[in-house]
Amino acid sequence: MRTKLICSIDEASMILESGNLVAIPTETVYGLAADALNSEAVKKIFQVKGRPADNPLIVHISEFEDLEKFVLEVPKKAELLCNKFWPGPLTMIFKKKSIIPDIVTANLGCVAIRMPSLEITRKLISKLGRPLAAPSANISGRPSPTSYAHVLNDLDGKISAILMGEDCSVGVESTVIDVTSTPIRLLRPGKISPEEISDYICEKIIVDDSVDHSVSNLKEVRSPGVKYKHYSPKTKIVLVKGTSHQFAQFVNSQYNCVSVCFEEDISLISGDKLSYGSMFSESDQLKFLFDRLRRVDSFNLSVAYVHLSSEVKQNLAVLNRLFRASGFNILEL
Ligand code: AMP
Ligand code: MG
């Protein structure tokens, strides 16, 4: 099968209607989309990605009114959060109606739903007239794609088409919260922070232990996705925590390595290096992180050292992706 690069929403909608897959741009990362109400189409997502069947998918809608078609109840707090953050990179977990096939939710009684803010994505959902199930459009375990070129790298020949769009403006997957639990629980950090959410609803929210702990040390796993290796290039990733000078001194004494560092470190490092943004810009780090994790493989070196700052408090979503990409392999200088 040849993977077509397409620009037409009508063409993408026709492919989806026929039960096939289209990779789509969103503001977070590129998604691998199927008609969420067609079990056979959704099955193809798991096959193409090599995704374990117990890892549920997020359902994407284009209008607030669609929510009640798919969920049993919308708690008051969730309604407030929809009004504030939708469309946008916030996914909420609700009790599901039976119209959502069990394959989408990995047989859980709850479904994760979000409304993306990128207009082309919502137009496609409206055109199709059905919700889209869409995980990130990468082979399972690899860094998520933030450009159509990344998708092509992973899935060329495996899917019908890629709807071409701009590079993703956010760059990491949506924030996932469980609104069926009291207090609300953060299962995956994203651009919308737990502080923003709790400030808005004037209530504390719980950050699930899996966000910043290895699941091998946890008793209970609430978000099945966290059990699996994720966001990893082929090159071994080691996180190195220290000041810019400590980091530079460390990597300058190592061989066969590439550094993934801050803009501010670049002039201090003599070997191969890639910047993932200024240490003071959370949004740049979110936007560039996955692209840099993909690019480390092109150096063909045995290890990539990623700088974690000991001077600046880093964004929880950036840290979460790096903890997982490295398998919690952290060196403190
Ligand atoms: P991805 O599809 O790669 O963006 O990952 C989706 C994330 O949301 C995974 O970590 C899933 O475990 C989580 N998720 C999706 N649906 C549910 C659900 N019904 N209950 C709990 N977590 C979910
Ligand atoms: Mg993913």
Side-chain angles (χ1 to χ4, degrees):
M1 183 204 301
R2 294 238 2 238
T3 298
K4 271 173 82 178
L5 294 175
I6 60 176
C7 298
S8 150
I9 290 177
D10 288 354
E11 193 176 352
S13 172
M14 266 159 35
I15 297 170
L16 291 162
E17 211 175 315
S18 69
N20 288 306
L21 307 183
V22 180
I24 57 165
T26 82
E27 75 278 20
T28 56
V29 301
Y30 270 70
L32 181 58
D35 172 353
L37 305 182
N38 178 341
S39 298
E40 285 306 308
V42 172
K43 198 165 149 189
K44 291 179 188 168
I45 293 179
F46 288 92
Q47 287 165 345
V48 163
K49 279 182 61 91
R51 184 177 174 105
D54 68 352
N55 191 2
L57 307 176
I58 294 172
V59 171
H60 295 69
I61 59 175
S62 60
E63 283 161 61
F64 182 70
E65 289 65 41
D66 288 342
L67 186 59
E68 64 187 26
K69 297 181 194 159
F70 308 122
V71 311
L72 286 177
E73 57 172 322
V74 180
K76 192 76 205 143
K77 277 177 271 177
E79 200 178 321
L80 282 174
L81 292 170
C82 289
N83 288 334
K84 168 77 176 162
F85 294 108
W86 279 7
L90 178 67
T91 296
M92 287 185 256
I93 292 174
F94 301 92
K95 293 199 175 98
K96 88 175 185 81
K97 282 191 175 163
S98 59
I99 184 175
I100 299 288
D102 288 335
I103 186 170
V104 171
T105 59
N107 294 311
L108 296 173
C110 293
V111 59
I113 300 199
R114 94 168 180 105
M115 190 196 295
S117 66
L118 194 67
E119 209 175 327
I120 185 175
T121 327
R122 271 183 295 135
K123 277 190 177 157
L124 174 62
I125 298 167
S126 298
K127 173 79 198 170
L128 181 68
R130 296 161 81 86
L132 290 177
S136 49
N138 52 287
I139 297 290
S140 268
R142 301 253 303 136
S144 301
T146 54
S147 70
Y148 73 84
H150 292 162
V151 181
L152 206 57
N153 246 309
D154 275 21
L155 301 180
D156 193 14
K158 297 191 169 92
I159 57 174
S160 303
I162 301 172
L163 179 62
M164 289 199 297
E166 57 198 61
D167 287 359
C168 302
S169 58
V170 174
V172 297
E173 303 86 345
S174 57
T175 305
V176 178
I177 56 174
D178 185 351
V179 294
T180 68
S181 74
T182 309
I184 288 176
R185 181 178 288 269
L186 177 87
L187 298 181
R188 179 174 73 185
K191 187 176 174 70
I192 297 173
S193 68
E195 292 80 15
E196 264 178 282
I197 296 168
S198 64
D199 284 355
Y200 192 70
I201 55 173
C202 299
E203 252 182 58
K204 256 189 122 50
I205 74 167
I206 294 179
V207 175
D208 197 68
D209 278 346
S210 64
V211 166
D212 51 5
H213 293 80
S214 167
V215 288
S216 51
N217 299 328
L218 299 181
K219 279 197 210 112
E220 197 182 356
V221 173
R222 290 187 175 83
S223 177
V226 302
K227 286 187 301 196
Y228 300 104
K229 178 172 167 262
H230 216 156
Y231 317 124
S232 302
K234 296 184 186 87
T235 311
K236 179 180 172 185
I237 300 283
V238 179
L239 310 181
V240 180
K241 188 163 183 178
T243 65
S244 286
H245 279 94
Q246 285 172 324
F247 180 77
Q249 199 174 32
F250 172 77
V251 293
N252 288 343
S253 70
Q254 304 292 311
Y255 297 95
N256 211 9
C257 67
V258 52
S259 302
V260 180
C261 60
F262 300 116
E263 207 58 57
E264 291 79 4
D265 305 334
I266 287 284
S267 63
L268 305 172
I269 295 169
S270 49
D272 288 311
K273 60 209 157 189
L274 291 168
S275 156
Y276 71 110
S278 164
M279 69 169 78
F280 303 107
S281 173
E282 295 190 2
S283 59
D284 278 358
Q285 290 170 36
L286 289 166
K287 196 162 160 177
F288 299 133
L289 183 66
F290 283 138
D291 176 74
R292 303 308 187 258
L293 288 178
R294 282 178 170 260
R295 277 167 56 179
V296 294
D297 284 340
S298 65
F299 290 87
N300 276 314
L301 296 166
S302 56
V303 55
Y305 292 113
V306 183
H307 186 189
L308 293 189
S309 178
S310 61
E311 296 161 292
V312 176
K313 186 171 183 280
Q314 281 192 261
N315 180 284
L316 186 62
V318 170
L319 292 176
N320 167 266
R321 301 322 186 266
L322 285 172
F323 289 154
R324 305 273 313 278
S326 68
F328 287 83
N329 191 350
I330 308 167
L331 191 70
E332 300 234 11
L333 298 176

